[in-house]
Each structure stands twice: as C-alpha cells, then as structure tokens.
C-alpha cells in the first residue's frame, strides 16, 4: 500500500503516455485496482472472480481471461499471465477508451481494429490466429448459458450456422473438397465490417468520483 | 369532392339547425370514434351551455329527430342523419388515397418527403375550395385536436420508441427536449419582441407574452420527414434517437408552455411571482404527467394479466388505458402527452408478454394506423387551411420569424451540445450537430397549436400565417434538402441492416464485455442503473404484472405445441410451393445456381438465430424492437420464434431414432450426378448421420423402408424440418467421422455406384412400414456396422430431411451451401 501511494507523478505520466488516459482517470482506476487487489500490487484471477457484480455475466470467464492475456498488452507476446500489475490492468482498460472529437479517421480505424482484435482474442483461446469451430461454439454457449436447456441446444446450432456464414461470406467459391478451418482475423474483420462499435465498445472513464457525476446526469 | 360535400353540409346545417354546437358535438364524437373508438366520454362543448348525452356512432338521431310522415315512403333519403360520419369517412379516405398514391411511385417519396406531398394535395384541394368560395371545414378546434387528433400521434411515437437507445441517451434527449425548447421559445420570443418595437413593421401591438406564446408554438419540432430520411441513410443511432426523442418530449414541453403562455397572454399584468409560479407549474405538470402515465401503465399491464380468456378485447385495454391516462392528465391540467407517452413506455414491455401474439400485432397495427391517419389529416388540413383562411401577411414579422427560428435552433444545438458533450461517451461532432439543427422541421403540432389559438389573441391571423409560413418553409426546403445534405457531409452512420448471425453474436458479446469491464473498473454508466432496474423488475414487477413470469412452464409448453402444429401446416404449404417443380440438373448447373437459394435459406435461418439470441440472452441488456420508422411497423418475429422452438423440440425427438427421415426419393439425387463420381465428394456432407439410417442401408432390404415413409403422416413434420436440420448441421460431425474416415474413403465410391441402380429402381416401390420401425429398434446395437457404411448412409440421410418429397432439383443446392464447412472432418486429412 505504501508503495502504491508513493507512486510518483512520473510513473503516472508514463502510464498516461502509454494508455492515453488522463491523470484523473488513472488515479480513479488505481483506486479501483487497489480495491480489487486488496491493496496488493498485483491482481490474480481469484480477485476478479469474486467481484459480485460480475457474477451474472455469462461471459465472465472470457472477460477475466482477457485481462491475463498477453496479447492484450500491446506487446507482441503471446501466452497468459498469472498476475497482472496496475500497468497491465490499465492497458486492457485502454482498449475501451472512447474517441474524442479530435480523433482523426485513421485513429478511429486503428481503435476499431484494436477492439476487434480484443474480441478476436477472446475467441481465440489457443493463440493460433484462427477461431476454430470449437472455440466459437464455446463462446456462444457461454453467451447462452443463462437461458437454460434451450440455450445449450441452440448454442451449438447457432455457432455452426455462424461459422457457415463466415465461410460463405469469405470464401464464396469454395470447392466442395475444401474445408474452412477457422476464422482468421482478416475474416473476422470482414464479417463485422460496418458494425457499429462506437456505442458498444466504449466506456466513459470518469474523471471525478462516480457518485457525484451520476447525480448530475440524472437531472439533466 | 368530399370536401365540398363536407363544407356544403356544414353550411346547410348551420342554416337549418339552430344548434350548431350540438352538431359540432356530434362531429367530435364521430371523429373520436374514427380515431379509435374512444368516444365514450362526450367532450364538453366549449361554451358549456348544453350537455348532450353520449351519441352513438351511427349519427345523430338525437339531433335530428325525423319528422313523422303520414304515408310510408317508398324511397327516402335522410342525408343529415348520416352526414357527419359520412363526410368524415370521406375525408379520411381521401387522405388515405393520397398516401396510397405517393407510394405507387415511391421514387417520389425518396426525394420529396411524404409530408410535403400531403400538404401539396391539401393545397390543391384548398385551391379548389377557394375557387368555389367554400369555407374550410371547422374540424380543427381546440378540443378536437387535443382530445382526438393528438393522442394517437403521441401514442404512436411513445409506443414505438426504440427503448434501448432511448434510455441510453435519455439525458441528452431530455436535455434537448426541455432545455432546447425553452431556449428556442424564449430566444425567439424575445427577439421577435425586439423586432416588434421597430415601427416600420407595424406590429407594435404584439406584447411580450404573445410573442412568447407564438415562439412556443413554432418551437415544437416535428421531424417526421427527417426521421424517415435518417432511417433511409441510416445515420448513427445517437443522432436518430435524439431527434426522435426530442420531437416527442418537446411536444410535451411545448404544450405545457403553450397553456402557460396562453394563460399569461390574457393577464393584463405579469408579476414576478407569476414567473416563479410558472416555473413551479412547469415541473408539476411534467412530473405529474409522468406519474399518471406510469400509474396507468402498470394498471394496464396488470389488467392484461387476466385477459387470457378474452383475447379478442385485449387490444382494447391498451387503447383505453392510454387514453384514460391522457384524459385524466387533461382533467388535472397536467401534461397529457407525458402521461400517454410514459404510459405506453411503461406498459409495452409487460403487455406484449401477456397478450397473445395476435393481439400484439393488432395493437401495433392499430396504434400505427391511428397515429398515421391523424397526422395525415393534420397535414392535409394544413394544406387546405393555407389556401382558404384569410391571411395577415406581414413581411417583416414573418421573415424575421423564419430567420430567428433558424438561428436560434442552430445556436441552441451548438451551445447545448457543448454542455452535454462532456457527459456523453460518444460526443456529438459538428456533423451530428448540423444534422440535429437542420432536422428541426416544424410540423403538425405547431400548426394545430396555432390554429387553435384563442380568439382573444389580437393578431391570431398573423400568427397562423407565420406558423404556416415557417412550416411550409421548413418542410419543403429543409425536408427536401436534408437527404442530399446528410449524404454530402457524410454523417457517421450506423449500419442497421447487418443481418448476420455473427453480427448478432458479437453485439451481444460486446455488450456483455462492456458490462463486465465496467463492473471491473467500478465505473458504471447507465448500464448500472439498467442492471439495478432489471433486478427489481425480475424480482417484483414481472411477478406482479406478467401472468407467466417463469421461463417456460408446462402450460406454455403445451400452448407452444399447439401453435407448433399450426405453424407446421403453414410451413408445409409454403415449402411445397418452393420445391414444386422437379427437374434434372447437372451438377455443374447446380453449383452455379446455388448462390441464390443459399442466400435465401440462410436469411431465414439467420432470422431464427436472431430470435434465439434475443430471446435467450442475458436479460440485462436485452434489446427491444430496434429502429422502427415513424410510419412502419416493425415486423414481429414471434412466429419465427415458434418455429425455432419447434425445431428444437423436433430435434430432441429426432435424436434417438430417425423416425421421420423423409423420403426423398433416392432416385433423383443420382440423376444429377455425373457418372463415375463419388456421391459424397460432390454433394453430401458427411455428418448428417443417424444411426437408424445407417442400419437401414446395410442391406438392400432396408431401402424400401425409406420409400415407405414417403406416404406416412410424419411426412409433414419432416418437411418442416428443413431449417432445423440446417441448424443442426455439425452436431455429430467431429465425433463420428474422424474415427473411420479411411474405411469410408475406401469403400465409398464403389458402394455408391453399385447402389445407384438398385436405389433407383426400388425408390418407386412402396414398402411395408415395419422396416422402418425395426431398423429404428436396432439402432443402438449397430455401432460397428454403422461405421463401415456410414458414408453411404450419409448420402441418404442428408438429403432426406432437406428436401420435401418432390423437390428433385432443390436439394443438392442446399447441400452445396453447407458444403465447405460441413465436410470438414472428413476432408481434413486429405488436405494435409
């Protein structure tokens, strides 16, 4: 705890450059980080799994896994981590920074790609660069896991159909002998082309303490 | 023609009958009946002198007691008796015909908004009336407008409000609706008042209150035309919903302000206290309306819990309760628009779960119908009135009104976005702001409000003229130019037409991801409140308000089963048609033509997927009906849902045996196969195995059994299965095939060839049914045998469920669509 409190402004500055967050946002997130980790320097999977608010989320596992995935750290490494520090935590969070008015088109495109990559990584659990049917099914099953028996049944069928769809859109002239091995990132981009991600993949990281902000919003 | 009739009729009545007020009353009542059978409460005559009993729809016997006749007349005509309903019917018909007319050439409506066309037709009719010196119909009075014309319009908007984006942007919507309208009213009012001080214009007699009143009237935006343009070019969701929500709530604000100012305008002196009282009243009126709305919404939802036995009147409750909310709010002089909108929003979710599928459709259609006819009529009258009333044209005042309306709107959007942007996740950029500002068309509400101004306002005619001018200006100029402009500046767009499963899945995935990340970083946006509300909703509200709040009870299952049978019959007829003509097509042609059916069938499947996804997903971020046009109904997918469920149930029943593998005449598949080719390699993905069929193919004796099923009653269900099998495609694939590819590979070609002949011949031979049952019985023990032959069996199995009996040409196409993915387990090793 003492160590984190004495974290110098320099370090914050460093993080700001890396992640694009503002100082206030980093301070806020750091507060949250400490709360989650129980004032440790690192967070383990168990810390995240005990968050009560997350308990209802059907894809809890994937989300938590994403935090420990080296691919989401903007470094060209693969594999997964056992524990993450604050910097890694921030890096993952930075995927969800909303664009500002100053963001240019190219930057938007890059951000979009980054987010798609993040999603792709959630699917691609074995790091081989393709989403295989098994992996896809798994995610869809998790998505439907809250809806009981019919979900299980439907999940497979949906994943299969979705896979087919990817295959048919990306490789329209497939020979009958061919076999679609899995979704590559290019195909993944292709199928989600035109999908609005602005409203869905952004979080408004707050500069100030949350409680006051919400009151202000509700009256407006 | 009807118009002249109406006017003539009205004049005649006025001459003949000394109780025009009574006539007017009947008029209201009849109009009200036209607008949704809501005439149960007779409107009070404005003067309040005579109170008549409620009048029956079939005219006014009370008003026109027939004179006693001495003889029995052979032929009589009693026009006055039917006059009112008759004329109103003609009016509505005329307006509706106009609508049909526009849509015949729908290229017109792409470039010229429908409202423009309606107004134009109104202008023409008005011109005709004017040339024959007829008076305009006295239809639009304050009461008619507020009690009968307005409620359907706002109910329509409220009921079809896209809930999810609305609540995601509720802050911005309310900000623009409330503050924006105040901004506009006060800004325009003040500046016009300043203009009035200039002597040259000759309008010094208009005081501040009247200016404010007028400014309020013209700050009600009504961007129907813009919304349909926005929808066509699919601008981003935020812009759309802000314009949509703004127009809805700003009606409420405007009406409140209107009432306030028209009260104030009559006061000789305005004290500062009155200003504060006015502000206080503003909140009382708004929040009170909301309260009534919520109250009635819940009552309505609760009522529909008990209507399962009286399905035919279910929709009535929805209309009655929302109208009741409106009237009660009106009774207490609080915002009736707020009341009806919140009532619709509140009850929609619960009601649609409680009522039957058909009632739900009925409700939607009727709401849409009433809303659009009401609006059509208003625009139509706008055109008529433009020509027929006396205008007071004052260049200065009207031009400045136009200018100020434009400037203040632009300024308002600019300033208000600057304030709201920091609170938004996705800020509005300049293009969005332009869209917002330029989308501020004035419309029906403004016109009606101006037209129903009390006569005590000295310059009423000038106000009406100015209002009409600004409506015409904005509707025609901005309405027509907004599409090219929006396309030119390239506003950020949301593609809402992405109809793929992957997109649906990933939308969900993203929503859940964001929810999870928000939980993780402990900073909640509206999702947090939504979450809270959904919990409360699931725990308490749903239990009280929804008849069957459990996911799926046995009763529902039974109900679904019945529905299912129904749907099956429908599907049978449909699929029969699709694949009616048998033809012999070569493989090559098959492949070429596969593109089309592929798309078609996939689309149907897609929709099924969407339904499954939206029905079964994690409830928190459940999406409601997405975007719906102001004048189009969202298509309801419930029937599809039934199909899906049915598929699931069929699949379940399928699994143990293959009782209904239908009978695709085996012969035909060979027809389309070039000689010497292996069957599987071209057509049939391997995974469609069912053990029973495997068993059958082992011996030639088994073949006929398939044939026999052709005539069985189960046929219908197997046909209906086409989509189901689709969904099912990969189910058994990995488990089975990898084990014994090699065997299959080696044995396949030969066997397929050999069987070609036999199967062809015996496909026409009906066989006793017992084959089928016996083979089904043997299923379980047949694993070993099955492995040897399964590649052959596939061929049949795959085909059978796919194609309804005579569909000789159709089925291989289906297979080819599936090919690439499906054959995967088998062909994988080959590739390596």
């Amino acid at each position: 705890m003492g160590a984190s409190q004495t974290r110098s402004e320099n370090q914050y500055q460093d993080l700001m450059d890396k992640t694009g967050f503002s100082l206030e946002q980093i301070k806020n997130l750091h507060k949250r980080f400490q709360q989650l980790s129980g004032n440790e320097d690192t967070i383990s999977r168990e810390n995240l799994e005990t968050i009560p608010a997350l308990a209802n989320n059907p894809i809890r596992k994937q989300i938590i896994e994403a935090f420990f995935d080296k691919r989401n750290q903007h470094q060209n490494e693969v594999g997964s981590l056992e524990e993450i520090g604050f910097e890694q935590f921030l890096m993952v969070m930075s995927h969800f920074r909303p664009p500002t008015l100053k963001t240019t088109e190219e930057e938007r495109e890059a951000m979009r790609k980054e987010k798609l990559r993040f999603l792709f990584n959630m699917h691609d659990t074995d790091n081989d660069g393709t989403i295989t049917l098994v992996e896809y099914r798994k995610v869809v099953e998790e998505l439907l896991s809250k809806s009981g028996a019919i979900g299980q049944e439907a999940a497979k069928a949906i994943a299969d159909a979705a896979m087919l769809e990817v295959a048919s859109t990306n490789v329209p002239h497939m020979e009958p002998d061919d076999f679609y091995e899995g979704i590559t990132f290019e195909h993944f981009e292709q199928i989600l082309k035109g999908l609005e991600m602005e409203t869905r993949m952004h979080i408004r990281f707050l500069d100030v303490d949350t409680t006051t902000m919400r009151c202000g919003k509700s009256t407006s | 023609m009807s118009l002249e009739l109406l006017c003539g009729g009205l004049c005649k009545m006025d001459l003949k009958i000394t109780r025009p007020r009574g006539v007017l009353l009947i008029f209201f009542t009849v109009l009200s009946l036209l607008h949704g059978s809501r005439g149960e409460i007779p409107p009070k005559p404005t003067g309040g002198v005579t109170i008549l009993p409620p009048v029956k729809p079939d005219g006014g016997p009370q008003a026109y007691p027939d004179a006693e006749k001495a003889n029995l007349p052979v032929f009589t005509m009693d026009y006055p008796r039917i006059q009112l309903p008759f004329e109103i019917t003609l009016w509505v018909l005329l307006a509706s015909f106009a609508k049909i007319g526009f849509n015949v050439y729908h290229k017109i409506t792409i470039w010229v908004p429908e409202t423009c066309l309606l107004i134009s037709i109104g202008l023409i009719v008005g011109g005709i009336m004017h040339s024959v010196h007829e008076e305009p119909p006295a239809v639009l009075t304050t009461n008619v407008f507020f009690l009968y014309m307005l409620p359907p319009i706002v109910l329509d908007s409220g009921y079809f409000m896209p809930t999810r984006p609305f609540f995601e942007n509720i802050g911005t919507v309310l900000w623009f609706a409330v503050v924006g309208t105040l901004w506009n009213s006060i800004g325009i009012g003040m500046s016009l008042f300043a203009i009035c001080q200039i002597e040259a214009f000759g309008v010094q007699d208009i005081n501040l209150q009247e200016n404010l009143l007028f400014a309020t009237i013209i700050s009600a935006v009504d961007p129907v035309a813009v919304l349909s343009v926005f929808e066509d070019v699919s601008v981003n969701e935020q812009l759309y919903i802000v314009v949509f929500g703004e127009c809805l709530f700003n009606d409420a604000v405007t009406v409140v302000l209107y009432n306030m100012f028209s009260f104030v305008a009559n006061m000789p002196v305005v004290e500062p206290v009155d200003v504060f009282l006015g502000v206080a009243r503003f909140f009382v009126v708004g929040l009170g309306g909301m309260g009534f709305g919520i109250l009635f919404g819940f009552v309505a939802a609760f009522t529909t819990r008990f209507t399962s036995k009286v399905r035919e009147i279910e929709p009535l409750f929805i209309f009655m309760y929302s109208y009741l909310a409106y009237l009660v709010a009106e009774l207490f002089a609080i915002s009736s628009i707020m009341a009806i909108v919140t009532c619709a929003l509140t009850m929609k979710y619960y009601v649609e779960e409680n009522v039957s599928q058909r009632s739900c459709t009925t409700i939607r259609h009727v709401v849409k119908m009433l809303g659009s006819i009401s609006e059509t009529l208003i625009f139509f009258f706008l055109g008529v009135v433009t020509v027929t009333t006396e205008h007071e044209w004052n260049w200065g005042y009207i031009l400045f009104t136009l200018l100020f309306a434009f400037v203040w709107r632009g300024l308002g959007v600019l300033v208000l976005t600057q304030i709201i942007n920091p609170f938004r996740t996705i800020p509005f950029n300049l293009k969005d702001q332009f869209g917002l500002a330029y989308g501020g068309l004035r419309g029906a509400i403004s016109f009606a409000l101006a037209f129903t101004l009390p006569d005590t306002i000295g310059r009423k005619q000038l106000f009406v003229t100015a209002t009409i001018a600004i409506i015409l200006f904005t509707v025609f100029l901005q309405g027509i130019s907004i599409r090219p402009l929006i396309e030119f500046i390239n506003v950020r767009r949301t593609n809402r037409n992405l109809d793929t499963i992957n997109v649906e899945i990933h939308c969900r995935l993203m929503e859940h991801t964001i929810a999870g990340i928000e939980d993780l970083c402990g900073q909640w946006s509206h999702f947090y409140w939504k979450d809270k509300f959904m919990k409360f909703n699931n725990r308490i509200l749903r239990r009280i308000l929804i008849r069957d709040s459990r996911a799926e009870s046995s009763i529902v299952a039974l109900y679904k089963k019945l529905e299912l049978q129904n749907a099956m019959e429908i599907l049978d007829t449909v699929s029969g048609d699709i694949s009616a003509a048998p033809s012999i097509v070569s493989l090559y042609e098959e492949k070429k033509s596969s593109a089309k059916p592929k798309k078609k069938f996939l689309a149907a499947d897609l929709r099924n997927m969407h339904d499954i996804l939206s029905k079964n997903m994690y409830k928190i971020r459940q999406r409601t009906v997405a975007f719906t046009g102001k004048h189009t109904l969202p298509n309801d997918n419930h029937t599809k849902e039934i199909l899906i469920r049915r598929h699931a149930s069929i699949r379940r029943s399928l699994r143990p045996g293959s009782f209904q593998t239908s009978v695709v005449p085996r012969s035909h598949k060979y027809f389309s196969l070039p000689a010497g080719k292996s069957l599987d390699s071209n057509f049939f993905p391997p995974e469609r195995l069912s053990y029973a069929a495997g068993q059958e193919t082992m011996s030639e004796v088994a073949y006929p059994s398939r044939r026999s099923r052709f005539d069985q009653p189960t046929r219908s269900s197997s046909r209906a299965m086409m989509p189901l099998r689709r969904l099912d495609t990969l189910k058994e694939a990995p488990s089975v095939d990898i084990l014994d590819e090699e065997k299959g590979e080696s044995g396949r070609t030969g066997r397929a060839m050999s069987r070609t002949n036999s199967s062809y011949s015996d496909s026409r031979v009906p066989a006793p049914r017992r084959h089928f049952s016996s083979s089904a019985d043997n299923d379980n023990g047949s694993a070993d045998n099955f492995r040897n032959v399964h590649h052959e069996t596939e061929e049949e199995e795959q085909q059978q469920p796919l194609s309804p009996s005579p569909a000789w040409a159709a089925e291989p196409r289906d297979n080819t669509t599936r090919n690439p993915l499906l054959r995967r387990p088998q062909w994988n090793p080959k590739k390596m």
Side-chain angles (χ1 to χ4, degrees), chain B residues 425-692:
Chain B
T425 311
I426 310 293
F428 282 123
N429 58 23
L430 273 176
K431 290 172 181 176
D432 293 334
Q433 291 175 32
F434 174 80
L436 265 177
Y438 205 74
L441 307 193
R442 271 64 169 179
I445 305 274
S446 298
F447 166 69
L449 286 178
F451 203 72
T452 56
L453 273 176
D455 288 325
T456 46
I457 306 282
R459 294 291 195 114
K460 185 186 167 186
Q461 279 182 352
L462 176 62
F463 289 157
V464 172
T465 308
T467 309
I468 289 177
I470 193 168
I471 291 172
L472 292 184
F473 180 81
T474 54
V475 166
F476 277 84
L477 212 75
Q478 284 174 237
I480 292 174
S481 62
I482 191 156
R483 179 189 296 267
L485 276 175
I486 288 285
E487 280 174 359
F488 176 71
I489 64 170
N490 198 10
V491 170
R492 190 165 58 85
R493 303 185 185 196
T494 303
N495 197 343
R496 284 193 292 277
N497 304 322
L498 289 171
D499 243 358
T500 66
I501 314 162
N502 286 291
V503 167
E504 188 72 20
I505 289 174
H506 285 98
C507 287
R508 305 281 162 183
L509 193 65
M510 285 191 267
E511 282 173 13
H512 293 318
T513 309
I514 286 298
I517 303 279
E518 274 182 2
D519 291 337
L520 269 175
C521 70
Q523 298 189 343
W524 297 288
S525 57
H526 58 268
F527 283 127
Y528 176 77
W529 292 105
K530 203 169 175 182
D531 225 356
K532 279 268 143 98
F533 173 74
M534 286 317 265
K535 264 189 200 147
F536 171 68
N537 185 35
N538 286 335
R539 270 196 210 140
I540 299 166
L541 290 182
R542 277 179 66 90
R543 289 215 182 135
I544 299 173
L545 299 176
I546 293 182
R547 187 166 44 239
D548 180 43
S549 56
R550 280 165 300 163
E552 175 135 339
S553 74
S554 57
I555 307 157
V556 181
L558 182 68
Y559 169 67
K560 294 233 161 89
K561 212 171 162 188
L562 291 176
E563 289 264 339
L564 220 142
Q565 285 177 356
N566 196 12
M568 265 181 197
E569 286 169 18
I570 298 168
L571 201 83
D572 266 356
T573 52
V574 172
S575 61
D577 287 343
I578 291 174
S579 50
S583 67
I584 300 165
V585 193
S586 78
L587 177 64
Y588 179 60
E589 278 165 340
E590 290 288 338
K591 269 184 146 181
K592 270 209 309 192
S593 60
S594 71
K596 223 176 167 187
K598 166 160 68 179
K599 237 173 202 167
K600 192 172 161 196
F601 281 108
L602 271 181
D605 273 354
L606 290 190
R607 249 166 283 130
N608 292 346
M609 311 283 142
H610 285 306
D611 289 328
I612 291 192
L613 282 168
S614 51
K615 282 280 161 190
N616 293 311
M617 283 287 189
Y618 183 41
K619 291 277 186 194
I620 291 178
R621 270 123 232 202
Q622 192 177 44
R623 289 212 308 198
T624 49
V625 186
F627 277 57
T628 58
K630 218 175 170 198
H631 290 287
T632 49
L633 282 166
N635 43 352
D636 22 55
N637 295 319
H638 293 241
T639 41
K640 303 251 169 54
E641 192 234 341
I642 293 168
L643 279 182
I644 285 281
R645 302 217 184 230
R646 182 169 118 253
H647 293 165
S649 72
I650 292 177
R651 203 183 308 150
R652 250 174 264 137
S653 62
L654 248 186
R655 199 142 308 131
S658 61
F659 74 96
Q660 87 296 45
T661 47
S662 104
V663 191
V664 172
R666 311 185 65 240
S667 49
H668 74 261
K669 66 185 169 202
Y670 297 116
F671 282 166
S672 53
L673 194 72
K677 269 218 159 188
S678 137
L679 284 176
D680 330 13
S681 63
N682 289 309
F683 281 126
F684 313 119
E687 76 294 343
R688 265 301 161 63
L689 290 185
S690 95
Y691 296 85

Side-chain angles (χ1 to χ4, degrees), chain A residues 159-179:
Chain A
D160 294 352
M163 199 73 177
L164 251 180
E165 188 183 81
V166 181
S168 65
T169 44
N170 285 303
V171 196
H173 301 298
M174 192 177 264
E175 291 299 311
D177 295 356
D178 287 350
F179 142 69

Side-chain angles (χ1 to χ4, degrees), chain B residues 171-199:
Chain B
T172 317
V173 167
L174 288 182
W175 176 251
F176 274 104
V178 177
V179 183
T181 310
L182 282 173
W183 167 283
N184 274 331
S185 312
I186 293 171
I188 298 173
M190 294 288 184
S191 355
L192 280 178
F193 182 62
I195 293 301
C196 289
Q197 305 314 307
I198 301 172
E199 278 182 32

Side-chain angles (χ1 to χ4, degrees), chain B residues 150-162 222 227 244 247-249 251 340-341 344-345 348 367-368 371 375 628 630:
Chain B
L150 189 58
I153 298 179
V154 284
L155 179 63
D156 176 28
S157 320
Y159 196 82
F160 289 101
M161 167 88 76
D222 182 15
L227 284 179
F244 187 107
C247 101
L248 187 56
F249 285 99
D251 287 351
I340 199 169
V341 166
L345 272 178
K348 182 180 172 187
V367 166
K368 225 17 154 187
E375 205 160 62
T628 58
K630 218 175 170 198

Side-chain angles (χ1 to χ4, degrees), chain A residues 105-137:
Chain A
E105 270 316 303
E106 294 84 52
E107 280 170 328
R108 270 170 206 271
E109 245 345 279
M111 284 172 84
R112 185 188 155 84
K113 200 158 183 171
E114 208 175 83
K115 289 174 212 300
L116 280 175
R117 180 59 88 174
F118 187 86
L119 285 178
F120 186 83
N121 290 344
M122 279 174 77
H123 285 296
D124 182 21
T125 43
D126 61 0
N127 292 340
D128 66 352
T130 55
I131 305 172
T132 58
L133 185 63
V134 179
E135 285 167 340
Y136 206 176
R137 272 186 184 171

